[in-house]
């Protein structure tokens, strides 16, 4: 276990007293690590830090599992004084301020897109146990549900579900169905836009006889808003007043923002977290049930994924959709190999794969990342780290792509700033 933690954090952390903390000394009984991603200048982070301190102190004093948990602060502060002042408020260690490379690796590895964020991971493997630790701190203040591991969807969703005609269904009615778990709210304009498209997709699938159901999990600010919004939806919903079940579903899938559409197979296992992108890209539902594709064609609707971690983007001189197929075939083998490898490890892909033609979306991306106009152009873009990697070769071959990817994953490439 200690060897893994050293690979994750390095040999030394630092505490509020500026003393080094030997990672190997964190404790033989340690089974869970909470990764607290935050920033001293962010008001919600400051507020959550107070709640987390109370939770941590209570857990360490009274919980029978007190030796099994540690928290590590991973800061996005740019000013060392601000970071140090914030660390003074914390009873747990932090990644050293200057270790920015490891910070960015952790942000990317655990797909952190907003702060504050608290991700609980297995101390021996690094696998995610719970993505939404903020809700753990709120909903389980005494730590009675430790270690907060995932439960089956059927168990979490169990109970009455509503239809907008005031009829109810039971969670067991979802058995044997593909399910979209839809986190959304009326006050959110992108949510309302997606809902309109999703209604059409839902009706298309129902008319085709597909066993597909959607469960709306509201983030509305009042029951009245929920009722108004739900009246537009032909599917099921968790009752608004059942705040506990809504919170457990948010926790189960680590929801960090809305709208989010989680796609599940007929056994309740996750197909994709990117249901929103899949539905927008496939209005005729030809690719249902929307299993992840190894290579995506860059579009306005899926460009949001560029901000979720490192992405390989192959730019080619192609204006028509069909002209992108040879480019996809070029990078498909390595993309499939990476996907299979990490699926077997039950880990998320460390890299997404895109092809981009000659269009406004590609031009905007080139401008934003200050890339040359050359085509073909092989790149890896890491938006959160504001870093890019460019392979400047005369001919792009499958072997060249695979070497580029392997060098990136082995951290052999030198980044250029975006």
């Amino acid at each position: 276990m200690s060897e893994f933690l050293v690979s994750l954090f390095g040999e030394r952390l630092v505490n509020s007293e500026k003393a080094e903390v030997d990672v190997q000394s964190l404790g033989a009984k340690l089974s869970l690590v909470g990764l607290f991603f935050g920033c001293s200048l962010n008001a919600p982070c400051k507020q959550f830090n107070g709640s987390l301190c109370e939770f941590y102190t209570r857990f360490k004093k009274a919980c029978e599992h007190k030796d099994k948990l540690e928290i590590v602060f991973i800061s996005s502060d740019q000013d060392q004084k601000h970071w140090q002042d914030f660390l003074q408020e914390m009873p747990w260690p932090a990644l050293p301020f200057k270790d920015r490379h490891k910070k960015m690796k952790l942000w990317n590895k655990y797909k952190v897109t907003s702060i504050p964020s608290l991700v609980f991971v297995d101390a021996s493997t690094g696998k995610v146990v719970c993505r939404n630790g903020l809700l753990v701190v709120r909903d389980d203040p005494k730590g009675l549900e430790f270690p907060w591991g995932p439960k089956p969807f059927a168990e979490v969703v169990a109970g009455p579900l509503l239809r907008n005609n005031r009829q109810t269904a039971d969670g067991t009615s979802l058995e044997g169905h593909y399910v979209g778990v839809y986190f959304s709210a009326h006050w959110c304009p992108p949510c309302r836009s997606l809902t309109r498209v999703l209604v059409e997709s839902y009706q298309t699938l129902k008319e085709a006889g597909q066993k597909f159901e959607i469960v709306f999990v509201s983030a509305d600010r009042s029951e009245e808003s929920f009722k108004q919004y739900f009246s537009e939806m032909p599917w099921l919903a968790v009752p608004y007043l059942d705040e506990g079940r809504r919170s457990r579903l948010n926790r189960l899938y680590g929801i960090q923002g809305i709208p989010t559409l989680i796609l599940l197979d007929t056994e309740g296992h996750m197909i994709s977290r990117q249901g929103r992108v899949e539905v927008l890209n496939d209005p005729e539902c030809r690719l249902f049930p929307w299993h992840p594709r190894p290579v995506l064609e860059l579009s306005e609707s899926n460009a949001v994924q560029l901000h979720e971690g490192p992405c390989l983007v192959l730019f080619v001189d192609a204006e028509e959709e069909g002209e992108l197929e040879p480019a996809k075939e070029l990078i498909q083998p390595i993309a499939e190999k990476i996907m299979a490898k990490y699926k077997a490890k039950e880990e998320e892909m460390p890299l997404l794969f895109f092809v981009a033609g000659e269009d406004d979306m590609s031009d905007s991306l080139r401008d934003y990342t200050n890339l040359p106009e050359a085509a073909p152009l092989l790149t890896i873009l890491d938006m959160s780290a504001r870093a890019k990697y460019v392979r400047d070769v005369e001919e792009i071959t499958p072997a060249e792509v695979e070497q580029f990817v392997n060098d990136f994953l082995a951290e052999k490439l030198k980044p250029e700033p975006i």
Side-chain angles (χ1 to χ4, degrees):
M1 177 182 68
S2 58
E3 290 181 5
F4 171 76
L5 291 178
V6 169
S7 72
L8 199 66
F9 301 127
E11 294 185 353
R12 299 282 185 273
L13 298 172
V14 62
N15 64 21
S16 59
E17 298 173 355
K18 301 184 182 179
E20 289 188 343
V21 176
D22 186 348
V23 169
Q24 301 224 32
S25 71
L26 288 179
K29 296 181 180 179
L30 190 67
S31 64
L32 199 69
V33 178
L35 305 176
F36 174 23
F37 297 88
C39 175
S40 67
L41 300 180
N42 179 277
C45 287
K46 297 279 284 185
Q47 183 177 0
F48 175 67
N49 185 62
S51 300
L52 185 57
C53 283
E54 292 178 8
F55 173 87
Y56 181 87
T57 302
R58 189 184 304 115
F59 189 93
K60 288 294 186 180
K61 281 184 178 179
C63 185
E64 61 179 308
H65 305 293
K66 61 183 179 181
D67 295 329
K68 296 181 179 180
L69 173 70
E70 190 51 88
I71 291 173
V72 177
F73 178 49
I74 298 147
S75 169
S76 57
D77 280 289
Q78 301 298 310
D79 182 276
Q80 187 165 1
K81 179 66 165 57
H82 291 154
W83 169 80
Q84 186 65 55
D85 289 345
F86 197 24
L87 186 57
Q88 294 288 321
E89 304 173 17
M90 302 177 183
W92 49 78
L95 210 60
F97 176 79
K98 293 181 180 179
D99 204 343
R100 301 193 180 201
H101 177 66
K102 272 206 164 52
K103 290 178 188 176
M104 290 314 309
K105 278 186 65 178
L106 289 166
W107 278 71
N108 285 333
K109 180 179 178 67
Y110 294 108
K111 308 290 185 187
V112 177
T113 57
S114 62
I115 55 174
S117 183
L118 179 63
V119 182
F120 288 112
V121 303
D122 186 295
S124 59
T125 65
K127 289 183 179 179
V128 174
V129 174
C130 177
R131 284 191 176 279
N132 203 330
L134 276 69
L135 291 180
V136 168
V137 172
R138 188 192 75 181
D139 296 344
D140 186 25
K142 294 183 179 180
L144 300 178
E145 297 177 32
F146 178 90
W148 310 296
K151 296 178 181 178
F153 168 71
E155 181 180 332
V156 180
V157 81
L161 298 170
L162 304 179
R163 291 198 181 276
N164 63 17
N165 60 5
R166 298 187 180 182
Q167 292 183 345
T168 61
D170 191 77
T172 56
S173 66
L174 299 172
E175 292 177 4
H177 286 66
Y178 291 97
V179 177
V181 189
Y182 185 34
F183 299 86
S184 184
H186 188 263
W187 53 261
C188 163
C191 294
R192 296 198 301 273
S193 297
L194 178 60
T195 297
R196 287 191 288 271
V197 176
L198 195 53
V199 167
E200 294 181 9
S201 298
Y202 179 84
Q203 291 170 341
T204 297
L205 290 169
K206 286 295 189 182
E207 289 169 5
Q210 295 285 359
K211 286 195 168 185
F212 179 60
E213 192 53 82
I214 294 175
V215 177
F216 170 43
V217 184
S218 172
D220 287 294
R221 292 165 178 159
S222 69
E223 187 176 16
E224 184 178 345
S225 294
F226 161 76
K227 289 179 177 178
Q228 179 184 350
Y229 193 27
F230 186 44
S231 69
E232 306 168 13
M233 303 176 183
W235 46 73
L236 299 169
V238 175
Y240 183 80
L241 294 179
D242 195 344
E243 188 175 345
R245 193 163 23 147
R246 289 193 289 123
S247 180
R248 288 191 292 274
L249 285 163
N250 271 272
R251 200 164 95 195
L252 179 63
Y253 297 113
I255 303 304
Q256 297 188 44
I258 55 172
T260 295
L261 178 64
I262 303 290
L263 298 172
L264 307 178
D265 66 16
T266 54
E267 301 296 319
H269 302 135
M270 189 185 298
I271 295 174
S272 174
R273 302 181 63 85
Q274 299 296 336
R276 173 190 185 185
V277 171
E278 297 295 348
V279 167
L280 293 175
N281 274 347
D282 184 28
E284 296 179 358
C285 304
R286 291 177 179 175
L287 299 175
F288 176 82
W290 299 301
H291 287 281
R293 285 163 285 163
V295 182
L296 300 173
E297 296 179 13
L298 185 66
S299 67
E300 188 173 342
S301 58
N302 65 26
V304 64
Q305 292 178 261
L306 292 171
H307 295 274
E308 295 183 358
C311 298
L312 181 143
V313 184
L314 173 57
F315 292 89
V316 294
D317 186 8
E319 297 183 4
E320 300 296 329
E321 185 174 324
E323 295 177 350
L324 289 172
E325 286 305 314
K328 290 172 69 174
E329 291 171 5
L330 184 68
I331 62 176
Q332 186 101 356
I334 180 61
E336 289 178 342
K337 187 183 293 186
I338 295 291
M339 179 178 279
K341 176 182 177 181
Y342 282 85
K343 184 176 181 180
K345 294 165 65 175
E346 297 183 348
E347 294 181 11
E348 292 195 38
M349 288 264 286
L351 192 64
L352 298 180
F353 294 80
F354 290 85
V355 293
E358 294 292 330
D359 55 28
D360 291 342
M361 185 68 243
S362 298
D363 290 344
S364 296
L365 182 58
R366 282 183 188 265
D367 291 344
Y368 179 75
T369 55
N370 196 26
L371 288 170
E373 291 297 324
L377 182 68
L378 185 61
T379 68
I380 291 176
L381 305 176
D382 188 346
M383 297 299 198
S384 58
R386 298 195 62 78
K388 63 185 177 185
Y389 307 81
V390 181
R391 183 69 98 195
D392 187 10
V393 292
E394 291 185 6
E395 182 182 4
I396 297 174
T397 64
E400 188 68 44
V401 174
E402 184 162 7
Q403 187 63 54
F404 186 45
V405 169
N406 289 338
D407 286 349
F408 171 77
L409 295 177
E411 300 181 26
K412 294 180 179 179
L413 302 179
K414 185 177 180 180
E416 301 175 42
I418 290 179

